[in-house]
PDB file of all heavy atoms in Angstrom:
ATOM      1  N   LEU A  37       1.570 -12.181  -3.124  1.00  0.00           N
ATOM      2  CA  LEU A  37       1.218 -10.888  -3.800  1.00  0.00           C
ATOM      3  C   LEU A  37       0.283 -11.090  -4.900  1.00  0.00           C
ATOM      4  O   LEU A  37      -0.565 -10.233  -5.153  1.00  0.00           O
ATOM      5  CB  LEU A  37       2.514 -10.158  -4.193  1.00  0.00           C
ATOM      6  CG  LEU A  37       2.445  -8.550  -4.224  1.00  0.00           C
ATOM      7  CD1 LEU A  37       1.973  -8.105  -2.893  1.00  0.00           C
ATOM      8  CD2 LEU A  37       3.794  -8.064  -4.670  1.00  0.00           C
ATOM      9  N   GLU A  38       0.447 -12.186  -5.628  1.00  0.00           N
ATOM     10  CA  GLU A  38      -0.563 -12.571  -6.725  1.00  0.00           C
ATOM     11  C   GLU A  38      -2.035 -12.767  -6.127  1.00  0.00           C
ATOM     12  O   GLU A  38      -2.957 -12.408  -6.719  1.00  0.00           O
ATOM     13  CB  GLU A  38      -0.117 -13.866  -7.427  1.00  0.00           C
ATOM     14  CG  GLU A  38       1.062 -13.774  -8.289  1.00  0.00           C
ATOM     15  CD  GLU A  38       2.373 -13.629  -7.477  1.00  0.00           C
ATOM     16  OE1 GLU A  38       2.526 -14.275  -6.445  1.00  0.00           O
ATOM     17  OE2 GLU A  38       3.260 -12.925  -7.902  1.00  0.00           O
ATOM     18  N   ASP A  39      -2.062 -13.397  -4.860  1.00  0.00           N
ATOM     19  CA  ASP A  39      -3.386 -13.521  -4.236  1.00  0.00           C
ATOM     20  C   ASP A  39      -3.874 -12.105  -3.837  1.00  0.00           C
ATOM     21  O   ASP A  39      -5.037 -11.927  -4.004  1.00  0.00           O
ATOM     22  CB  ASP A  39      -3.270 -14.318  -2.959  1.00  0.00           C
ATOM     23  CG  ASP A  39      -2.795 -15.774  -3.179  1.00  0.00           C
ATOM     24  OD1 ASP A  39      -3.183 -16.341  -4.328  1.00  0.00           O
ATOM     25  OD2 ASP A  39      -2.197 -16.379  -2.319  1.00  0.00           O
ATOM     26  N   VAL A  40      -2.988 -11.292  -3.448  1.00  0.00           N
ATOM     27  CA  VAL A  40      -3.469  -9.908  -3.146  1.00  0.00           C
ATOM     28  C   VAL A  40      -4.043  -9.175  -4.338  1.00  0.00           C
ATOM     29  O   VAL A  40      -5.133  -8.571  -4.325  1.00  0.00           O
ATOM     30  CB  VAL A  40      -2.284  -9.111  -2.508  1.00  0.00           C
ATOM     31  CG1 VAL A  40      -2.523  -7.550  -2.376  1.00  0.00           C
ATOM     32  CG2 VAL A  40      -1.843  -9.534  -1.062  1.00  0.00           C
ATOM     33  N   GLU A  41      -3.325  -9.430  -5.426  1.00  0.00           N
ATOM     34  CA  GLU A  41      -3.804  -8.734  -6.682  1.00  0.00           C
ATOM     35  C   GLU A  41      -5.249  -9.301  -7.046  1.00  0.00           C
ATOM     36  O   GLU A  41      -6.168  -8.508  -7.352  1.00  0.00           O
ATOM     37  CB  GLU A  41      -2.889  -8.956  -7.909  1.00  0.00           C
ATOM     38  CG  GLU A  41      -3.340  -8.317  -9.096  1.00  0.00           C
ATOM     39  CD  GLU A  41      -2.284  -8.108 -10.196  1.00  0.00           C
ATOM     40  OE1 GLU A  41      -1.169  -8.848 -10.055  1.00  0.00           O
ATOM     41  OE2 GLU A  41      -2.441  -7.301 -11.117  1.00  0.00           O
ATOM     42  N   ALA A  42      -5.465 -10.533  -6.809  1.00  0.00           N
ATOM     43  CA  ALA A  42      -6.825 -11.147  -7.189  1.00  0.00           C
ATOM     44  C   ALA A  42      -7.835 -10.635  -6.212  1.00  0.00           C
ATOM     45  O   ALA A  42      -9.003 -10.332  -6.638  1.00  0.00           O
ATOM     46  CB  ALA A  42      -6.638 -12.687  -7.160  1.00  0.00           C
ATOM     47  N   LEU A  43      -7.430 -10.505  -5.064  1.00  0.00           N
ATOM     48  CA  LEU A  43      -8.293  -9.961  -3.933  1.00  0.00           C
ATOM     49  C   LEU A  43      -8.838  -8.519  -4.253  1.00  0.00           C
ATOM     50  O   LEU A  43      -9.912  -8.093  -4.179  1.00  0.00           O
ATOM     51  CB  LEU A  43      -7.517  -9.926  -2.659  1.00  0.00           C
ATOM     52  CG  LEU A  43      -8.326 -10.039  -1.354  1.00  0.00           C
ATOM     53  CD1 LEU A  43      -9.069 -11.399  -1.195  1.00  0.00           C
ATOM     54  CD2 LEU A  43      -7.283 -10.050  -0.085  1.00  0.00           C
ATOM     55  N   CYS A  44      -7.861  -7.708  -4.711  1.00  0.00           N
ATOM     56  CA  CYS A  44      -8.039  -6.325  -5.065  1.00  0.00           C
ATOM     57  C   CYS A  44      -8.903  -6.217  -6.269  1.00  0.00           C
ATOM     58  O   CYS A  44      -9.830  -5.406  -6.383  1.00  0.00           O
ATOM     59  CB  CYS A  44      -6.722  -5.615  -5.329  1.00  0.00           C
ATOM     60  SG  CYS A  44      -5.802  -5.282  -3.848  1.00  0.00           S
ATOM     61  N   ARG A  45      -8.659  -7.137  -7.231  1.00  0.00           N
ATOM     62  CA  ARG A  45      -9.533  -7.119  -8.422  1.00  0.00           C
ATOM     63  C   ARG A  45     -11.012  -7.502  -8.043  1.00  0.00           C
ATOM     64  O   ARG A  45     -11.891  -6.811  -8.639  1.00  0.00           O
ATOM     65  CB  ARG A  45      -8.996  -8.029  -9.604  1.00  0.00           C
ATOM     66  CG  ARG A  45      -7.796  -7.534 -10.112  1.00  0.00           C
ATOM     67  CD  ARG A  45      -7.331  -8.255 -11.419  1.00  0.00           C
ATOM     68  NE  ARG A  45      -6.066  -7.838 -11.789  1.00  0.00           N
ATOM     69  CZ  ARG A  45      -5.746  -6.628 -12.349  1.00  0.00           C
ATOM     70  NH1 ARG A  45      -6.892  -5.838 -12.662  1.00  0.00           N
ATOM     71  NH2 ARG A  45      -4.543  -6.158 -12.700  1.00  0.00           N
ATOM     72  N   SER A  46     -11.197  -8.421  -7.167  1.00  0.00           N
ATOM     73  CA  SER A  46     -12.557  -8.792  -6.871  1.00  0.00           C
ATOM     74  C   SER A  46     -13.299  -7.756  -6.001  1.00  0.00           C
ATOM     75  O   SER A  46     -14.496  -7.680  -6.034  1.00  0.00           O
ATOM     76  CB  SER A  46     -12.616 -10.260  -6.239  1.00  0.00           C
ATOM     77  OG  SER A  46     -11.921 -10.372  -5.098  1.00  0.00           O
ATOM     78  N   ALA A  47     -12.453  -7.018  -5.272  1.00  0.00           N
ATOM     79  CA  ALA A  47     -13.115  -5.887  -4.453  1.00  0.00           C
ATOM     80  C   ALA A  47     -13.397  -4.692  -5.299  1.00  0.00           C
ATOM     81  O   ALA A  47     -14.098  -3.763  -4.854  1.00  0.00           O
ATOM     82  CB  ALA A  47     -12.150  -5.452  -3.303  1.00  0.00           C
ATOM     83  N   CYS A  48     -12.825  -4.642  -6.495  1.00  0.00           N
ATOM     84  CA  CYS A  48     -12.933  -3.457  -7.265  1.00  0.00           C
ATOM     85  C   CYS A  48     -14.273  -3.465  -8.064  1.00  0.00           C
ATOM     86  O   CYS A  48     -15.074  -4.381  -7.901  1.00  0.00           O
ATOM     87  CB  CYS A  48     -11.814  -3.363  -8.312  1.00  0.00           C
ATOM     88  SG  CYS A  48     -11.509  -1.761  -8.960  1.00  0.00           S
ATOM     89  N   ALA A  49     -14.625  -2.487  -8.788  1.00  0.00           N
ATOM     90  CA  ALA A  49     -15.850  -2.340  -9.491  1.00  0.00           C
ATOM     91  C   ALA A  49     -15.658  -2.142 -10.977  1.00  0.00           C
ATOM     92  O   ALA A  49     -14.561  -1.853 -11.451  1.00  0.00           O
ATOM     93  CB  ALA A  49     -16.625  -1.232  -8.976  1.00  0.00           C
ATOM     94  N   GLU A  50     -16.789  -2.438 -11.700  1.00  0.00           N
ATOM     95  CA  GLU A  50     -16.649  -2.262 -13.075  1.00  0.00           C
ATOM     96  C   GLU A  50     -16.286  -0.789 -13.615  1.00  0.00           C
ATOM     97  O   GLU A  50     -16.782   0.188 -12.800  1.00  0.00           O
ATOM     98  CB  GLU A  50     -18.117  -2.535 -13.758  1.00  0.00           C
ATOM     99  CG  GLU A  50     -18.016  -3.534 -15.009  1.00  0.00           C
ATOM    100  CD  GLU A  50     -19.423  -3.703 -15.486  1.00  0.00           C
ATOM    101  OE1 GLU A  50     -20.070  -4.519 -14.885  1.00  0.00           O
ATOM    102  OE2 GLU A  50     -19.904  -3.073 -16.422  1.00  0.00           O
ATOM    103  N   GLY A  51     -15.451  -0.619 -14.550  1.00  0.00           N
ATOM    104  CA  GLY A  51     -14.991   0.623 -15.013  1.00  0.00           C
ATOM    105  C   GLY A  51     -13.759   1.173 -14.255  1.00  0.00           C
ATOM    106  O   GLY A  51     -13.397   2.200 -14.573  1.00  0.00           O
ATOM    107  N   ILE A  52     -13.355   0.430 -13.219  1.00  0.00           N
ATOM    108  CA  ILE A  52     -12.143   0.770 -12.402  1.00  0.00           C
ATOM    109  C   ILE A  52     -11.152  -0.348 -12.451  1.00  0.00           C
ATOM    110  O   ILE A  52     -11.555  -1.491 -12.286  1.00  0.00           O
ATOM    111  CB  ILE A  52     -12.435   1.170 -11.003  1.00  0.00           C
ATOM    112  CG1 ILE A  52     -13.571   2.188 -10.847  1.00  0.00           C
ATOM    113  CG2 ILE A  52     -11.248   1.632 -10.267  1.00  0.00           C
ATOM    114  CD1 ILE A  52     -14.065   2.578  -9.470  1.00  0.00           C
ATOM    115  N   ASP A  53      -9.908  -0.043 -12.897  1.00  0.00           N
ATOM    116  CA  ASP A  53      -8.885  -1.005 -13.000  1.00  0.00           C
ATOM    117  C   ASP A  53      -7.840  -0.975 -11.856  1.00  0.00           C
ATOM    118  O   ASP A  53      -7.662   0.113 -11.184  1.00  0.00           O
ATOM    119  CB  ASP A  53      -8.174  -0.895 -14.323  1.00  0.00           C
ATOM    120  CG  ASP A  53      -7.423  -2.171 -14.664  1.00  0.00           C
ATOM    121  OD1 ASP A  53      -7.751  -3.211 -14.212  1.00  0.00           O
ATOM    122  OD2 ASP A  53      -6.540  -1.980 -15.635  1.00  0.00           O
ATOM    123  N   ILE A  54      -7.306  -2.120 -11.545  1.00  0.00           N
ATOM    124  CA  ILE A  54      -6.268  -2.241 -10.407  1.00  0.00           C
ATOM    125  C   ILE A  54      -4.901  -2.357 -11.143  1.00  0.00           C
ATOM    126  O   ILE A  54      -4.780  -3.134 -12.085  1.00  0.00           O
ATOM    127  CB  ILE A  54      -6.508  -3.519  -9.507  1.00  0.00           C
ATOM    128  CG1 ILE A  54      -7.846  -3.450  -8.772  1.00  0.00           C
ATOM    129  CG2 ILE A  54      -5.351  -3.745  -8.639  1.00  0.00           C
ATOM    130  CD1 ILE A  54      -7.949  -2.478  -7.646  1.00  0.00           C
ATOM    131  N   ARG A  55      -3.984  -1.546 -10.657  1.00  0.00           N
ATOM    132  CA  ARG A  55      -2.591  -1.622 -11.082  1.00  0.00           C
ATOM    133  C   ARG A  55      -1.798  -1.905  -9.883  1.00  0.00           C
ATOM    134  O   ARG A  55      -1.526  -1.035  -9.078  1.00  0.00           O
ATOM    135  CB  ARG A  55      -2.212  -0.372 -11.832  1.00  0.00           C
ATOM    136  CG  ARG A  55      -0.727  -0.427 -12.192  1.00  0.00           C
ATOM    137  CD  ARG A  55      -0.528   0.043 -13.615  1.00  0.00           C
ATOM    138  NE  ARG A  55       0.646  -0.505 -14.111  1.00  0.00           N
ATOM    139  CZ  ARG A  55       1.452   0.135 -14.977  1.00  0.00           C
ATOM    140  NH1 ARG A  55       1.174   1.443 -15.400  1.00  0.00           N
ATOM    141  NH2 ARG A  55       2.580  -0.408 -15.374  1.00  0.00           N
TER     142      ARG A  55
END
Side-chain angles (χ1 to χ4, degrees):
L37 208 54
E38 289 71 39
D39 296 330
V40 169
E41 181 161 17
L43 206 60
C44 289
R45 289 193 186 285
S46 61
C48 203
E50 225 179 283
I52 306 178
D53 199 19
I54 296 289
R55 175 134 205 218

